[in-house]
Amino acid sequence: MHNLRKMTLRDMSECGLALRRLGDNALSMEEVSNNIIQYLYNNFVDSSPNDKSCVLIRFFKTHSYRDLTPDLQKHAKEILSTPTVSNNLKCLTMLATAGELPEWNSRHQSVGHKAIPLANEDAIARMPMLSQLVQQLGLNPGIVVQPDPNLLTDLEQRMYNVFYVPNALDSPYIPAQESFVIPFNVKSVLGFGGLLPSGNIYSILMFLRIFIPPMVLNLFRPLALNIKTAILPFDDGCVFQEDFQRLSNMEAVENYQNQSFNYLNSKIATLNQLLDVSEQSTITQSDKLEKAISNLHETLEHLQKTQIQLIQSEKMSSLGQMIAGIAHEINNPVNFIAGNVNYAEEYIHSLLDLLKLYQEKFYNVPLEIKQKIEEIELEFLTSDLNKIMKSMRIGTERIRDIVVSLRNFSRLDEAEIKEVDIHSGIDSTLMILEHRLKPRGNYQKIEIIKNYGDLPPIECYPGQINQVFMNILGNAIDALELGVGEESPVQTPQIAIYTEIVKEEWVVIKIVDNGVGMTQEVSSKLFDPFFTTKPVGKGTGLGLFISYQIVIEKHSGKLVCNSQIGKGTEFMIKIPMKNPG
């Protein structure tokens, strides 16, 4: 069974295979039609196997008046109200029916649809549903009324389509609104069919209690060809069960069952059509599947980036809070020391002046005092005490500068866009990294060259921009340390920082090192998440990725890396002076 709302390419293939086989053991087109209608009525369901999608489903085919059974000829003649009828008159004939009411399950019990005469094109136009059906099947009403043998071969090989009325209620194409559509809750009408080699059209009409998604509709085009394959052996042959009963002997049956040259050609053409449509459906479904997979990959990548950013943001937020807390805790005692250094220095100078005055006024110093003076080296102590106080003053000022740099770097109070001094952010970052710039062990001192332009305050996210500076400067230091201990072209490690205004709209910050450089392959992957050239445990591969996101997405800027092996690396940060976000 197939859920008509959620029909897939696989469902269509299974259904098509089943429909093609329904004519294998049949003796007439009427028998095949009944098999097809019963299969569709019983197998097209909604939410459960017992919840059938079809209220009513019918199989129609056009016939010449001469080919109708006597009772159908009588029915057509009664509709026309004429004593004589042309043998070539086309009639739309019901071959099979299935539905909710008992009388809907036999064509013989139909009141007005057994055989509908199609006298001319105007007769088709007076029947809105039939007119719309013919139009959507891609047929000309004139071909239906009077087939042109010169056009039949071409038309038969390409005319197959789907007829669909998405809203049956109040539709001008669906009659019997009060007696059928409303009481039986008919939501939509689906039809599909095509043209047979004889010039006759065939069509299945399904009156549904559900709405069908547009994507499902296209799957019915190959089903029309599968049905054509099943009924094709009976075109211009045994149509009604009475036709088979009229055959007098087995030889006639065998002659009928022998496929003619025209029939083989038609079947080959139909199978080719079926293959074309199936392949097209497969391609269409494959394209949709590939697009869905691509969307899933994009969504997954976006989620991964978002997760990385959230983790990094949380980590930086925690780090910022920790730095701000440390800076605050250090700041209090440092302020206490700095505030008392001046008094301590003043008091010490006063005591030293008093001591000097004692030495000048009293020459005869007791022996015990002389011994103590020599023991403590009073002269050295006096001269060195001034140096100690000066060092304490410089030390406290240094600590206060570090505290200010830590607070500037953390920028917890500046999470929104603000006008800031970019140079202050760079200097604060360099202050925090100063321990890595000094000579230590095998590493030489790294010289910092500042070429700052005249920059006004810039609108940005200060904390995030400082994070970019930290990541890029940290990577520059790593690159310079790589050349230590070997025959490295790096003689004097340097990091040069340039800032300038470009076109009065952009600020450009360049951070250039004279380290070992990178290959083009490495630099092309530099901003990819989790890409790192550092040893395990020394790099996460997220620093430059996060920096790229901050510059590109948060600041609508550019972040470019230019590097050559043995010639160092340049990072260029370009952000607008006025943040567009």
Side-chain angles (χ1 to χ4, degrees):
M1 292 185 177
H2 309 292
N3 187 331
L4 205 51
R5 294 179 196 263
K6 302 177 181 178
M7 196 167 180
T8 63
L9 185 60
R10 178 186 178 86
D11 293 329
M12 182 271 287
S13 299
E14 291 177 354
C15 188
L17 180 62
L19 290 172
R20 285 203 306 274
R21 292 175 176 174
L22 291 178
D24 289 350
N25 300 314
L27 299 176
S28 67
M29 186 181 292
E30 182 179 354
E31 184 179 351
V32 181
S33 302
N34 274 302
N35 293 340
I36 291 170
I37 291 301
Q38 288 299 321
Y39 176 86
L40 296 177
Y41 182 71
N42 292 321
N43 285 276
F44 282 167
V45 298
D46 193 12
S47 54
S48 68
N50 295 325
D51 190 9
K52 289 182 171 53
S53 296
C54 296
V55 175
L56 174 66
I57 178 169
R58 286 178 166 173
F59 190 108
F60 289 94
K61 177 182 174 291
T62 56
H63 298 81
S64 296
Y65 179 79
R66 73 164 67 89
D67 297 326
L68 297 178
T69 60
D71 66 311
L72 291 177
Q73 287 180 344
K74 179 182 178 182
H75 181 79
K77 189 180 291 187
E78 289 174 352
I79 293 176
L80 290 171
S81 300
T82 57
T84 59
V85 179
S86 169
N87 284 332
N88 294 325
L89 173 70
K90 287 294 181 181
C91 296
L92 185 67
T93 310
M94 184 195 304
L95 288 183
T97 178
E100 290 185 2
L101 300 182
E103 58 268 29
W104 290 351
N105 289 280
S106 171
R107 71 176 179 87
H108 299 287
Q109 296 187 44
S110 175
V111 176
H113 301 94
K114 289 180 183 178
I116 304 171
L118 305 178
N120 48 46
E121 293 184 38
D122 290 339
I124 294 178
R126 286 194 295 269
M127 292 179 280
M129 184 167 69
L130 178 59
S131 176
Q132 188 70 6
L133 171 65
V134 170
Q135 180 181 338
Q136 289 198 26
L137 289 179
L139 297 172
N140 187 312
I143 292 293
V144 177
V145 174
Q146 189 174 2
D148 184 346
N150 296 321
L151 299 176
L152 284 182
T153 301
D154 179 60
L155 285 173
E156 186 248 330
Q157 292 182 6
R158 61 186 176 86
M159 289 303 175
Y160 48 90
N161 216 323
V162 175
F163 160 78
Y164 184 59
V165 178
N167 196 345
L169 185 63
D170 296 329
S171 171
Y173 306 116
I174 311 300
Q177 290 280 325
E178 296 295 332
S179 61
F180 176 60
V181 174
I182 295 174
F184 290 95
N185 196 26
V186 177
K187 297 288 182 60
S188 62
V189 179
L190 171 65
F192 52 98
L195 193 66
L196 292 167
S198 60
N200 293 313
I201 65 169
Y202 68 97
S203 176
I204 290 177
L205 285 177
M206 301 167 60
F207 298 88
L208 304 166
R209 56 168 54 91
I210 62 171
F211 298 107
I212 300 179
M215 188 174 69
V216 174
L217 291 176
N218 289 328
L219 298 178
F220 280 89
R221 295 177 72 240
L223 289 188
L225 291 171
N226 282 297
I227 290 172
K228 181 178 179 180
T229 303
I231 64 174
L232 196 58
F234 307 99
D235 188 34
D236 275 347
C238 249
V239 175
F240 302 100
Q241 292 180 354
E242 292 92 330
D243 293 336
F244 181 79
Q245 293 169 0
R246 288 199 300 268
L247 295 175
S248 58
N249 54 55
M250 291 303 297
E251 182 179 354
V253 175
E254 289 176 4
N255 289 337
Y256 163 70
Q257 290 180 336
N258 288 331
Q259 297 170 327
S260 66
F261 179 74
N262 289 335
Y263 161 69
L264 289 174
N265 281 339
S266 181
K267 187 162 187 177
I268 290 170
T270 302
L271 291 174
N272 284 334
Q273 291 173 340
L274 182 59
L275 181 61
D276 290 344
V277 174
S278 297
E279 287 178 346
Q280 187 60 46
S281 296
T282 302
I283 291 170
T284 301
Q285 293 292 322
S286 177
D287 289 343
K288 291 177 180 177
L289 182 61
E290 288 178 5
K291 185 177 180 180
I293 291 172
S294 176
N295 290 338
L296 284 175
H297 280 305
E298 290 178 5
T299 303
L300 179 61
E301 184 178 349
H302 178 71
L303 287 173
Q304 287 176 335
K305 288 181 178 180
T306 303
Q307 183 183 33
I308 291 169
Q309 290 173 352
L310 287 173
I311 293 172
Q312 188 70 5
S313 177
E314 184 65 26
K315 185 168 72 174
M316 290 305 295
S317 176
S318 300
L319 180 61
Q321 291 178 17
M322 183 181 70
I323 290 174
I326 292 172
H328 178 73
E329 293 301 323
I330 294 175
N331 195 47
N332 287 336
V334 165
N335 284 339
F336 174 78
I337 295 171
N340 287 289
V341 163
N342 292 330
Y343 295 113
E345 192 173 12
E346 183 180 340
Y347 296 160
I348 289 171
H349 279 302
S350 296
L351 290 172
L352 290 176
D353 289 342
L354 180 60
L355 180 60
K356 184 177 180 182
L357 186 61
Y358 267 108
Q359 287 177 327
E360 290 176 353
K361 299 298 181 181
F362 296 95
Y363 296 104
N364 298 321
V365 180
L367 180 62
E368 185 178 354
I369 292 177
K370 286 183 178 181
Q371 289 176 345
K372 192 63 177 179
I373 289 173
E374 292 175 0
E375 180 183 341
I376 65 173
E377 298 181 359
L378 180 61
E379 185 176 351
F380 169 77
L381 186 149
T382 303
S383 61
D384 196 49
L385 192 57
N386 289 321
K387 296 178 182 178
I388 291 174
M389 294 306 300
K390 185 177 180 181
S391 297
M392 288 179 65
R393 182 186 295 279
I394 294 172
T396 53
E397 290 176 354
R398 173 69 175 162
I399 294 173
R400 291 176 73 175
D401 290 341
I402 292 173
V403 168
V404 171
S405 296
L406 288 172
R407 295 176 69 176
N408 286 340
F409 181 79
S410 64
R411 296 279 189 178
L412 289 179
D413 56 336
E414 298 182 14
E416 300 299 324
I417 294 176
K418 289 193 175 183
E419 288 190 346
V420 296
D421 181 2
I422 289 291
H423 296 153
S424 175
I426 297 172
D427 292 340
S428 296
T429 306
L430 289 171
M431 176 75 74
I432 293 171
L433 291 171
E434 188 167 354
H435 68 288
R436 296 193 62 191
L437 302 175
K438 294 178 179 179
R440 43 196 178 89
N442 294 328
Y443 300 135
Q444 301 178 54
K445 176 184 177 181
I446 298 175
E447 182 182 356
I448 300 296
I449 302 172
K450 298 179 183 179
N451 289 290
Y452 289 169
D454 186 13
L455 303 185
I458 307 301
E459 285 188 358
C460 65
Y461 294 92
Q464 295 184 14
I465 285 294
N466 287 346
Q467 185 181 348
V468 174
F469 296 151
M470 176 67 77
N471 290 333
I472 294 177
L473 287 168
N475 276 276
I477 295 171
D478 292 337
L480 291 170
E481 290 178 348
L482 281 176
V484 173
E486 300 177 4
E487 293 183 2
S488 171
V490 181
Q491 300 300 322
T492 303
Q494 291 180 346
I495 297 175
I497 305 171
Y498 304 86
T499 64
E500 62 178 335
I501 296 176
V502 177
K503 297 182 180 180
E504 298 183 356
E505 294 181 359
W506 298 86
V507 174
V508 173
I509 303 106
K510 294 181 181 178
I511 299 175
V512 185
D513 67 68
N514 61 345
V516 293
M518 293 176 284
T519 63
Q520 187 174 358
E521 181 182 2
V522 171
S523 60
S524 66
K525 300 177 182 178
L526 211 55
F527 302 117
D528 293 347
F530 304 111
F531 176 79
T532 181
T533 58
K534 297 176 185 177
V536 176
K538 291 192 175 181
T540 63
L542 292 177
L544 291 177
F545 167 72
I546 296 289
S547 299
Y548 189 82
Q549 301 296 314
I550 290 172
V551 174
I552 303 298
E553 296 182 5
K554 291 289 188 179
H555 293 84
S556 302
K558 294 182 180 179
L559 178 57
V560 180
C561 174
N562 298 307
S563 184
Q564 289 184 351
I565 291 290
K567 294 187 177 180
T569 302
E570 175 191 275
F571 282 92
M572 185 196 74
I573 305 164
K574 185 177 180 181
I575 58 175
M577 294 178 64
K578 299 291 183 181
N579 193 292

